[in-house]
Coordinates of all heavy atoms in Angstrom, one line a residue:
M14 N -22.0 -13.7 7.4 CA -21.9 -15.1 7.1 C -20.7 -15.3 6.2 O -20.1 -16.4 6.2 CB -23.2 -15.5 6.3 CG -23.3 -17.0 6.2 SD -23.5 -17.8 7.8 CE -23.8 -19.4 7.3
G15 N -20.2 -14.2 5.5 CA -19.1 -14.4 4.6 C -17.8 -14.7 5.4 O -17.0 -15.5 4.9
W16 N -17.6 -14.0 6.5 CA -16.4 -14.3 7.3 C -16.4 -15.7 7.9 O -15.4 -16.3 7.9 CB -16.3 -13.3 8.5 CG -15.9 -11.9 8.0 CD1 -16.6 -10.8 7.7 CD2 -14.6 -11.6 7.5 NE1 -15.9 -9.8 7.2 CE2 -14.6 -10.2 7.1 CE3 -13.4 -12.3 7.5 CZ2 -13.5 -9.6 6.6 CZ3 -12.2 -11.6 7.1 CH2 -12.3 -10.3 6.6
L17 N -17.6 -16.2 8.3 CA -17.6 -17.5 8.8 C -17.3 -18.5 7.7 O -16.5 -19.5 8.0 CB -19.1 -17.8 9.4 CG -19.3 -19.2 9.9 CD1 -18.4 -19.5 11.1 CD2 -20.7 -19.4 10.3
W18 N -17.8 -18.3 6.5 CA -17.5 -19.2 5.4 C -16.0 -19.1 5.1 O -15.3 -20.1 4.8 CB -18.3 -18.8 4.2 CG -18.1 -19.8 3.1 CD1 -17.6 -19.5 1.9 CD2 -18.5 -21.1 3.0 NE1 -17.6 -20.6 1.1 CE2 -18.1 -21.6 1.8 CE3 -19.0 -22.0 3.9 CZ2 -18.3 -22.9 1.4 CZ3 -19.2 -23.3 3.5 CH2 -18.8 -23.8 2.3
A19 N -15.4 -17.9 5.2 CA -13.9 -17.8 4.9 C -13.1 -18.5 5.9 O -12.1 -19.2 5.6 CB -13.6 -16.3 4.9
I20 N -13.5 -18.5 7.2 CA -12.8 -19.2 8.2 C -12.9 -20.7 8.0 O -11.9 -21.5 8.2 CB -13.3 -18.8 9.6 CG1 -12.9 -17.4 9.9 CG2 -12.8 -19.7 10.7 CD1 -13.6 -16.8 11.1
I21 N -14.1 -21.2 7.7 CA -14.3 -22.6 7.4 C -13.4 -23.1 6.2 O -12.7 -24.1 6.3 CB -15.8 -23.0 7.2 CG1 -16.5 -22.8 8.5 CG2 -15.9 -24.4 6.6 CD1 -18.0 -22.8 8.3
V22 N -13.4 -22.3 5.2 CA -12.6 -22.6 4.0 C -11.1 -22.6 4.3 O -10.3 -23.5 3.9 CB -12.9 -21.7 2.8 CG1 -11.9 -21.9 1.7 CG2 -14.3 -22.0 2.3
G23 N -10.7 -21.6 5.1 CA -9.3 -21.5 5.6 C -8.9 -22.7 6.4 O -7.8 -23.3 6.3
F24 N -9.8 -23.2 7.2 CA -9.6 -24.4 8.1 C -9.4 -25.6 7.2 O -8.4 -26.4 7.3 CB -10.7 -24.6 9.0 CG -10.7 -25.8 9.8 CD1 -9.8 -25.9 10.9 CD2 -11.5 -26.9 9.6 CE1 -9.7 -27.1 11.6 CE2 -11.4 -28.1 10.3 CZ -10.5 -28.2 11.4
V25 N -10.3 -25.8 6.2 CA -10.2 -27.0 5.3 C -8.9 -26.9 4.5 O -8.2 -27.9 4.3 CB -11.4 -27.1 4.5 CG1 -11.3 -28.1 3.4 CG2 -12.7 -27.4 5.3
L26 N -8.6 -25.7 3.9 CA -7.4 -25.6 3.1 C -6.2 -25.8 3.9 O -5.2 -26.4 3.4 CB -7.4 -24.2 2.4 CG -8.3 -23.9 1.3 CD1 -8.3 -22.5 0.9 CD2 -7.9 -24.8 0.1
G27 N -6.2 -25.3 5.1 CA -5.0 -25.5 6.0 C -4.8 -27.0 6.3 O -3.7 -27.5 6.3
L28 N -5.9 -27.7 6.6 CA -5.7 -29.2 6.8 C -5.3 -29.9 5.6 O -4.4 -30.8 5.7 CB -7.1 -29.7 7.3 CG -7.5 -29.3 8.7 CD1 -8.8 -30.0 9.1 CD2 -6.5 -29.7 9.8
L29 N -5.8 -29.5 4.4 CA -5.3 -30.2 3.2 C -3.8 -29.9 3.0 O -3.1 -30.8 2.5 CB -6.1 -29.6 2.0 CG -7.5 -30.2 1.8 CD1 -8.3 -29.5 0.7 CD2 -7.5 -31.7 1.6
A30 N -3.4 -28.7 3.3 CA -2.0 -28.4 3.1 C -1.1 -29.2 4.0 O -0.1 -29.7 3.7 CB -1.7 -26.9 3.4
K31 N -1.6 -29.4 5.3 CA -0.9 -30.3 6.2 C -0.8 -31.7 5.7 O 0.2 -32.4 5.9 CB -1.5 -30.2 7.6 CG -1.1 -29.0 8.4 CD -1.6 -29.2 9.8 CE -0.7 -28.5 10.8 NZ -0.9 -28.8 12.2
L32 N -1.8 -32.2 5.1 CA -1.8 -33.5 4.5 C -0.8 -33.6 3.3 O -0.2 -34.7 3.1 CB -3.2 -33.9 4.1 CG -4.2 -34.2 5.2 CD1 -5.6 -34.5 4.6 CD2 -3.8 -35.4 6.0
I33 N -0.7 -32.6 2.5 CA 0.1 -32.6 1.4 C 1.6 -32.5 1.8 O 2.4 -33.2 1.2 CB -0.2 -31.4 0.4 CG1 -1.6 -31.7 -0.2 CG2 0.8 -31.2 -0.7 CD1 -2.2 -30.5 -1.0
L34 N 1.9 -31.7 2.8 CA 3.3 -31.5 3.2 C 3.8 -32.8 3.8 O 3.2 -33.4 4.6 CB 3.4 -30.4 4.1 CG 3.3 -29.0 3.6 CD1 3.2 -27.9 4.7 CD2 4.4 -28.7 2.6
P35 N 5.1 -33.2 3.4 CA 5.6 -34.4 4.0 C 6.0 -34.2 5.5 O 6.3 -33.1 5.9 CB 6.8 -34.7 3.2 CG 7.2 -33.4 2.6 CD 6.0 -32.6 2.5
G36 N 6.0 -35.3 6.2 CA 6.4 -35.2 7.6 C 5.3 -34.7 8.5 O 4.2 -34.4 8.1
R37 N 5.7 -34.5 9.8 CA 4.8 -34.0 10.8 C 4.9 -32.5 11.0 O 6.0 -32.1 11.2 CB 5.0 -34.8 12.1 CG 4.0 -34.4 13.2 CD 4.0 -35.4 14.3 NE 3.0 -35.1 15.2 CZ 3.1 -34.7 16.5 NH1 4.4 -34.6 17.0 NH2 2.1 -34.4 17.2
Q38 N 3.8 -31.8 11.0 CA 3.9 -30.4 11.3 C 3.5 -30.2 12.8 O 2.6 -30.9 13.3 CB 2.9 -29.6 10.4 CG 3.4 -29.5 9.0 CD 3.0 -30.8 8.2 OE1 2.0 -31.4 8.4 NE2 3.9 -31.2 7.3
H39 N 4.1 -29.2 13.4 CA 3.9 -29.0 14.8 C 3.1 -27.7 15.1 O 2.9 -27.4 16.3 CB 5.3 -28.9 15.6 CG 6.1 -30.2 15.4 ND1 6.4 -30.8 14.3 CD2 6.6 -30.9 16.4 CE1 7.1 -31.9 14.5 NE2 7.2 -32.0 15.8
S40 N 2.8 -27.0 14.1 CA 2.1 -25.7 14.3 C 0.6 -26.0 14.8 O 0.0 -27.0 14.4 CB 2.0 -24.9 13.0 OG 1.4 -25.7 12.0
P41 N 0.1 -25.1 15.7 CA -1.2 -25.3 16.2 C -2.3 -25.1 15.2 O -2.1 -24.5 14.1 CB -1.3 -24.3 17.3 CG -0.3 -23.2 16.9 CD 0.8 -23.9 16.2
L42 N -3.5 -25.6 15.5 CA -4.6 -25.5 14.6 C -5.0 -24.1 14.2 O -5.4 -23.8 13.1 CB -5.8 -26.3 15.2 CG -6.9 -26.7 14.2 CD1 -6.4 -27.5 13.0 CD2 -7.9 -27.5 15.0
W43 N -4.9 -23.2 15.2 CA -5.3 -21.8 14.9 C -4.4 -21.2 13.9 O -4.8 -20.4 13.0 CB -5.3 -21.0 16.2 CG -4.0 -20.8 16.8 CD1 -3.5 -21.5 17.8 CD2 -3.0 -19.8 16.5 NE1 -2.2 -21.1 18.2 CE2 -1.9 -20.0 17.4 CE3 -3.0 -18.7 15.7 CZ2 -0.8 -19.2 17.4 CZ3 -1.8 -17.9 15.6 CH2 -0.8 -18.1 16.5
L44 N -3.0 -21.6 13.9 CA -2.1 -21.0 13.0 C -2.3 -21.6 11.6 O -2.3 -20.9 10.6 CB -0.7 -21.3 13.4 CG 0.5 -20.7 12.6 CD1 0.3 -19.2 12.5 CD2 1.8 -21.1 13.1
T45 N -2.6 -22.9 11.5 CA -3.0 -23.5 10.3 C -4.2 -22.9 9.6 O -4.2 -22.7 8.4 CB -3.2 -25.0 10.5 OG1 -2.0 -25.6 11.1 CG2 -3.4 -25.8 9.2
T46 N -5.2 -22.6 10.4 CA -6.4 -22.0 9.9 C -6.1 -20.6 9.4 O -6.6 -20.2 8.4 CB -7.5 -22.0 11.0 OG1 -7.8 -23.3 11.5 CG2 -8.8 -21.4 10.5
L47 N -5.3 -19.8 10.2 CA -5.0 -18.5 9.8 C -4.2 -18.5 8.4 O -4.5 -17.7 7.5 CB -4.1 -17.8 10.8 CG -3.7 -16.4 10.6 CD1 -4.9 -15.5 10.5 CD2 -2.8 -15.9 11.7
M48 N -3.3 -19.4 8.3 CA -2.5 -19.6 7.0 C -3.4 -20.0 5.9 O -3.3 -19.5 4.8 CB -1.4 -20.6 7.2 CG -0.3 -20.1 8.1 SD 0.5 -18.6 7.5 CE 1.3 -18.1 9.0
G49 N -4.4 -20.8 6.2 CA -5.4 -21.2 5.2 C -6.2 -20.1 4.7 O -6.5 -19.9 3.5
L50 N -6.6 -19.2 5.7 CA -7.4 -18.0 5.3 C -6.6 -17.1 4.5 O -7.1 -16.6 3.5 CB -7.9 -17.4 6.7 CG -8.8 -16.2 6.6 CD1 -10.1 -16.6 6.0 CD2 -9.0 -15.6 7.9
I51 N -5.4 -16.8 4.9 CA -4.6 -15.8 4.1 C -4.2 -16.4 2.8 O -4.3 -15.7 1.8 CB -3.3 -15.5 4.9 CG1 -3.7 -14.7 6.2 CG2 -2.3 -14.7 4.1 CD1 -2.5 -14.6 7.2
G52 N -3.9 -17.7 2.7 CA -3.6 -18.3 1.4 C -4.8 -18.4 0.5 O -4.6 -18.2 -0.7
G53 N -6.0 -18.5 1.0 CA -7.2 -18.5 0.2 C -7.4 -17.1 -0.4 O -7.7 -17.0 -1.6
I54 N -7.1 -16.1 0.3 CA -7.2 -14.7 -0.2 C -6.1 -14.4 -1.2 O -6.4 -13.9 -2.3 CB -7.1 -13.7 1.0 CG1 -8.3 -13.8 1.9 CG2 -6.9 -12.3 0.5 CD1 -8.1 -13.1 3.2
I55 N -4.9 -14.9 -1.0 CA -3.8 -14.7 -2.0 C -4.2 -15.5 -3.3 O -4.0 -15.0 -4.4 CB -2.5 -15.2 -1.4 CG1 -2.1 -14.2 -0.3 CG2 -1.4 -15.3 -2.5 CD1 -0.9 -14.7 0.5
G56 N -4.6 -16.7 -3.1 CA -5.0 -17.5 -4.3 C -6.1 -16.9 -5.1 O -6.1 -16.9 -6.3
N57 N -7.1 -16.3 -4.4 CA -8.2 -15.6 -5.1 C -7.6 -14.4 -5.9 O -8.0 -14.1 -7.0 CB -9.3 -15.1 -4.1 CG -10.2 -16.2 -3.8 OD1 -10.3 -17.2 -4.5 ND2 -10.9 -16.0 -2.7
A58 N -6.7 -13.6 -5.2 CA -6.1 -12.5 -5.9 C -5.3 -12.9 -7.1 O -5.4 -12.2 -8.2 CB -5.2 -11.7 -4.9
I59 N -4.6 -13.9 -7.1 CA -3.8 -14.4 -8.2 C -4.8 -14.8 -9.3 O -4.6 -14.5 -10.5 CB -2.9 -15.5 -7.8 CG1 -1.8 -15.0 -6.9 CG2 -2.2 -16.2 -9.1 CD1 -0.9 -16.1 -6.3
A60 N -5.8 -15.6 -8.9 CA -6.8 -16.1 -9.9 C -7.5 -14.9 -10.6 O -7.7 -14.9 -11.8 CB -7.8 -17.0 -9.3
R61 N -7.8 -13.9 -9.8 CA -8.5 -12.7 -10.4 C -7.5 -11.9 -11.3 O -7.9 -11.5 -12.4 CB -8.9 -11.8 -9.3 CG -9.9 -10.7 -9.7 CD -10.5 -9.9 -8.5 NE -10.9 -10.7 -7.3 CZ -10.2 -10.7 -6.1 NH1 -9.2 -9.8 -6.0 NH2 -10.6 -11.4 -5.1
S62 N -6.3 -11.9 -11.0 CA -5.3 -11.2 -11.8 C -5.0 -11.9 -13.2 O -4.7 -11.2 -14.1 CB -4.0 -10.9 -11.1 OG -3.3 -12.2 -10.9
I63 N -5.2 -13.2 -13.2 CA -5.0 -13.9 -14.5 C -6.3 -14.2 -15.2 O -6.3 -14.9 -16.2 CB -4.1 -15.1 -14.3 CG1 -4.7 -16.1 -13.4 CG2 -2.7 -14.8 -13.9 CD1 -3.9 -17.4 -13.3
G64 N -7.4 -13.8 -14.6 CA -8.7 -13.9 -15.3 C -9.4 -15.2 -15.1 O -10.3 -15.5 -15.9
I65 N -9.1 -16.0 -14.1 CA -9.9 -17.2 -13.9 C -10.6 -17.2 -12.5 O -10.8 -18.3 -12.0 CB -8.9 -18.4 -14.0 CG1 -7.8 -18.4 -12.9 CG2 -8.3 -18.6 -15.4 CD1 -7.0 -19.7 -12.8
A66 N -10.9 -16.1 -12.0 CA -11.6 -16.0 -10.7 C -13.0 -16.6 -10.7 O -13.3 -17.3 -9.8 CB -11.6 -14.6 -10.2
E67 N -13.7 -16.4 -11.8 CA -15.1 -16.9 -11.9 C -15.3 -17.6 -13.2 O -15.2 -16.9 -14.2 CB -16.1 -15.8 -11.6 CG -16.1 -15.3 -10.2 CD -17.1 -14.3 -9.9 OE1 -18.2 -14.3 -10.6 OE2 -16.9 -13.5 -9.1
T68 N -15.6 -18.8 -13.2 CA -15.8 -19.6 -14.4 C -17.1 -20.4 -14.3 O -17.7 -20.4 -13.2 CB -14.7 -20.6 -14.8 OG1 -14.5 -21.5 -13.7 CG2 -13.4 -19.8 -15.0
R69 N -17.6 -21.0 -15.3 CA -18.8 -21.8 -15.2 C -18.4 -23.1 -14.5 O -17.4 -23.6 -14.7 CB -19.4 -22.1 -16.6 CG -20.0 -20.9 -17.2 CD -20.6 -21.4 -18.5 NE -21.2 -20.2 -19.2 CZ -21.6 -20.2 -20.4 NH1 -21.4 -21.2 -21.2 NH2 -22.1 -19.1 -20.9
G70 N -19.3 -23.5 -13.7 CA -19.1 -24.8 -12.9 C -18.1 -24.6 -11.8 O -18.1 -23.5 -11.2
I71 N -17.3 -25.6 -11.5 CA -16.4 -25.5 -10.4 C -15.1 -24.8 -10.8 O -14.6 -25.1 -11.9 CB -16.1 -26.9 -9.9 CG1 -17.3 -27.6 -9.4 CG2 -15.0 -26.9 -8.8 CD1 -17.2 -29.1 -9.0
D72 N -14.7 -23.9 -10.0 CA -13.5 -23.1 -10.3 C -12.2 -23.8 -9.9 O -11.5 -23.5 -9.0 CB -13.5 -21.7 -9.6 CG -14.7 -20.9 -10.1 OD1 -15.1 -21.0 -11.2 OD2 -15.2 -20.1 -9.2
W73 N -11.9 -24.8 -10.7 CA -10.7 -25.7 -10.4 C -9.4 -24.9 -10.4 O -8.5 -25.1 -9.5 CB -10.6 -26.9 -11.3 CG -11.7 -27.9 -11.1 CD1 -12.7 -28.1 -12.0 CD2 -12.0 -28.7 -10.0 NE1 -13.6 -29.0 -11.4 CE2 -13.1 -29.4 -10.2 CE3 -11.3 -28.8 -8.7 CZ2 -13.6 -30.3 -9.3 CZ3 -11.8 -29.7 -7.8 CH2 -13.0 -30.5 -8.1
G74 N -9.3 -24.0 -11.3 CA -8.1 -23.2 -11.4 C -7.9 -22.3 -10.1 O -6.8 -22.2 -9.6
R75 N -9.0 -21.7 -9.7 CA -8.9 -20.8 -8.5 C -8.6 -21.6 -7.3 O -7.8 -21.3 -6.5 CB -10.2 -20.1 -8.4 CG -10.3 -19.2 -7.2 CD -11.5 -18.3 -7.1 NE -12.7 -19.1 -7.2 CZ -13.5 -19.3 -6.1 NH1 -13.2 -18.8 -5.0 NH2 -14.6 -20.1 -6.2
H76 N -9.3 -22.8 -7.2 CA -9.1 -23.6 -6.0 C -7.7 -24.2 -6.0 O -7.0 -24.3 -4.9 CB -10.1 -24.8 -6.0 CG -11.5 -24.3 -5.8 ND1 -11.9 -23.4 -4.9 CD2 -12.6 -24.7 -6.4 CE1 -13.2 -23.2 -5.0 NE2 -13.7 -24.0 -5.9
G77 N -7.1 -24.5 -7.2 CA -5.7 -25.0 -7.2 C -4.7 -23.9 -6.8 O -3.8 -24.2 -6.0
L78 N -5.0 -22.7 -7.2 CA -4.1 -21.6 -6.8 C -4.2 -21.3 -5.3 O -3.3 -21.0 -4.6 CB -4.5 -20.3 -7.6 CG -4.0 -20.3 -9.1 CD1 -4.7 -19.2 -9.8 CD2 -2.5 -20.3 -9.2
Q79 N -5.5 -21.4 -4.8 CA -5.6 -21.2 -3.3 C -4.9 -22.3 -2.6 O -4.1 -22.0 -1.6 CB -7.1 -21.3 -3.0 CG -8.0 -20.2 -3.4 CD -9.4 -20.4 -3.1 OE1 -9.9 -21.5 -3.1 NE2 -10.2 -19.3 -2.8
L80 N -5.0 -23.5 -3.0 CA -4.3 -24.6 -2.3 C -2.8 -24.5 -2.4 O -2.1 -24.7 -1.4 CB -4.8 -26.0 -2.8 CG -4.3 -27.2 -2.1 CD1 -4.7 -27.1 -0.6 CD2 -4.8 -28.5 -2.7
A81 N -2.3 -24.1 -3.5 CA -0.9 -23.9 -3.7 C -0.4 -22.8 -2.8 O 0.7 -22.9 -2.1 CB -0.5 -23.6 -5.2
A82 N -1.1 -21.7 -2.7 CA -0.7 -20.6 -1.8 C -0.7 -21.0 -0.3 O 0.2 -20.7 0.4 CB -1.6 -19.4 -2.0
V83 N -1.7 -21.8 0.0 CA -1.8 -22.3 1.4 C -0.7 -23.3 1.7 O -0.1 -23.2 2.8 CB -3.2 -22.9 1.7 CG1 -3.2 -23.5 3.1 CG2 -4.3 -21.9 1.5
V84 N -0.3 -24.1 0.8 CA 0.8 -25.1 1.1 C 2.1 -24.3 1.3 O 2.8 -24.6 2.3 CB 0.9 -26.1 -0.1 CG1 2.3 -26.8 0.0 CG2 -0.2 -27.0 -0.2
V85 N 2.3 -23.3 0.5 CA 3.5 -22.5 0.7 C 3.5 -21.8 2.1 O 4.5 -21.8 2.8 CB 3.7 -21.5 -0.4 CG1 4.8 -20.4 -0.1 CG2 4.0 -22.2 -1.7
L86 N 2.3 -21.2 2.4 CA 2.2 -20.5 3.7 C 2.3 -21.4 4.9 O 2.9 -21.0 5.9 CB 0.9 -19.7 3.7 CG 0.9 -18.4 2.9 CD1 -0.5 -17.7 3.0 CD2 2.0 -17.4 3.3
V87 N 1.7 -22.5 4.8 CA 1.8 -23.5 5.9 C 3.2 -24.0 6.1 O 3.7 -24.1 7.2 CB 0.8 -24.7 5.8 CG1 1.1 -25.8 6.7 CG2 -0.6 -24.2 5.9
F88 N 3.9 -24.2 5.0 CA 5.3 -24.6 5.1 C 6.1 -23.5 5.7 O 6.9 -23.8 6.7 CB 5.8 -24.9 3.7 CG 7.3 -25.2 3.6 CD1 7.8 -26.4 4.1 CD2 8.2 -24.3 3.1 CE1 9.1 -26.7 4.1 CE2 9.6 -24.6 3.1 CZ 10.0 -25.8 3.6
L89 N 6.0 -22.3 5.3 CA 6.7 -21.2 5.9 C 6.3 -20.9 7.3 O 7.2 -20.7 8.2 CB 6.5 -19.9 5.0 CG 7.1 -19.9 3.6 CD1 6.7 -18.7 2.9 CD2 8.6 -20.1 3.7
G90 N 5.0 -21.0 7.6 CA 4.6 -20.8 9.0 C 5.1 -21.9 9.9 O 5.4 -21.6 11.1
E91 N 5.2 -23.1 9.4 CA 5.8 -24.2 10.2 C 7.2 -23.9 10.5 O 7.7 -24.2 11.7 CB 5.6 -25.5 9.5 CG 6.2 -26.7 10.1 CD 5.5 -27.1 11.4 OE1 4.4 -26.8 11.6 OE2 6.2 -27.7 12.3
M92 N 8.0 -23.4 9.6 CA 9.4 -23.1 9.8 C 9.5 -22.0 10.8 O 10.4 -22.2 11.8 CB 10.1 -22.7 8.5 CG 10.3 -23.8 7.5 SD 11.0 -23.4 5.9 CE 12.2 -22.1 6.3
V93 N 8.8 -21.0 10.7 CA 8.8 -19.9 11.7 C 8.4 -20.3 13.1 O 9.1 -20.0 14.1 CB 8.0 -18.7 11.2 CG1 7.9 -17.6 12.3 CG2 8.6 -18.1 9.9
Y94 N 7.3 -21.1 13.1 CA 6.8 -21.6 14.4 C 7.8 -22.5 15.1 O 8.1 -22.3 16.3 CB 5.5 -22.3 14.2 CG 4.9 -22.8 15.5 CD1 4.2 -22.0 16.4 CD2 5.0 -24.2 15.9 CE1 3.7 -22.4 17.6 CE2 4.5 -24.6 17.1 CZ 3.8 -23.8 17.9 OH 3.3 -24.2 19.1
T95 N 8.4 -23.4 14.4 CA 9.4 -24.3 14.9 C 10.6 -23.5 15.4 O 11.2 -23.9 16.5 CB 9.8 -25.4 13.9 OG1 8.6 -26.0 13.4 CG2 10.7 -26.4 14.5
S96 N 11.1 -22.6 14.7 CA 12.3 -21.8 15.1 C 12.0 -21.0 16.3 O 12.8 -20.9 17.2 CB 12.8 -21.0 14.0 OG 12.1 -19.8 13.8
M97 N 10.8 -20.4 16.4 CA 10.4 -19.6 17.5 C 10.3 -20.5 18.8 O 10.6 -20.1 19.9 CB 9.1 -18.9 17.3 CG 9.1 -17.8 16.2 SD 10.0 -16.4 16.6 CE 8.7 -15.6 17.6
K98 N 9.7 -21.7 18.6 CA 9.5 -22.6 19.7 C 10.9 -23.1 20.2 O 11.1 -23.2 21.4 CB 8.7 -23.8 19.2 CG 8.2 -24.7 20.3 CD 7.3 -25.7 19.7 CE 6.9 -26.7 20.8 NZ 6.0 -27.8 20.2
G99 N 11.8 -23.3 19.3 CA 13.2 -23.7 19.7 C 13.9 -22.6 20.4 O 14.7 -22.9 21.4
R100 N 13.7 -21.3 20.1 CA 14.3 -20.2 20.8 C 13.8 -20.1 22.2 O 14.6 -19.8 23.1 CB 14.1 -18.9 20.1 CG 14.9 -18.7 18.8 CD 14.7 -17.3 18.3 NE 15.2 -17.3 16.9 CZ 14.8 -16.4 16.0 NH1 13.8 -15.6 16.3 NH2 15.3 -16.5 14.8
R101 N 12.5 -20.4 22.4 CA 12.0 -20.3 23.8 C 12.6 -21.4 24.6 O 12.8 -21.2 25.8 CB 10.5 -20.5 23.7 CG 9.8 -19.2 23.4 CD 8.3 -19.3 23.6 NE 7.7 -19.1 22.2 CZ 6.7 -19.7 21.8 NH1 6.1 -20.5 22.6 NH2 6.2 -19.5 20.6
R102 N 12.9 -22.6 24.1 CA 13.5 -23.7 24.8 C 14.9 -23.3 25.2 O 15.3 -23.7 26.3 CB 13.4 -25.0 24.0 CG 12.1 -25.6 24.0 CD 12.2 -26.9 23.3 NE 10.8 -27.5 23.2 CZ 10.5 -28.4 22.3 NH1 11.4 -28.9 21.5 NH2 9.3 -28.9 22.3
E103 N 15.6 -22.7 24.3 CA 17.0 -22.3 24.6 C 17.1 -21.3 25.7 O 18.0 -21.3 26.5 CB 17.7 -21.8 23.4 CG 17.9 -22.8 22.3 CD 18.5 -22.2 21.0 OE1 18.7 -20.9 21.0 OE2 18.7 -22.9 20.1
R104 N 16.2 -20.4 25.8 CA 16.2 -19.4 26.9 C 15.8 -19.9 28.2 O 16.2 -19.4 29.2 CB 15.2 -18.2 26.5 CG 15.7 -17.4 25.4 CD 14.8 -16.3 25.1 NE 15.2 -15.6 23.9 CZ 14.5 -14.6 23.3 NH1 13.3 -14.3 23.8 NH2 15.0 -14.0 22.3
A105 N 15.0 -20.9 28.3 CA 14.5 -21.5 29.5 C 15.6 -22.3 30.3 O 16.6 -22.6 30.0 CB 13.3 -22.3 29.3

């Protein structure tokens, strides 16, 4: 059940990152979900390293770090996806 929850959280974080980033993103939903999943893991690791992984109540610091990591990853993933898509068009 932990993996299913991680995928759902990755999906939600990825969608939030797409809403935060300006302009239209062209990356597919599976890539956004994957970036959300990886960013969530990175955000958790950063939160754990600075000592805010688990607090009483809602872990706003951890969630903020997760979202920040996902925004960066979705931005970078969008750049790579767009450049790869452009290369395929040039070859055809």
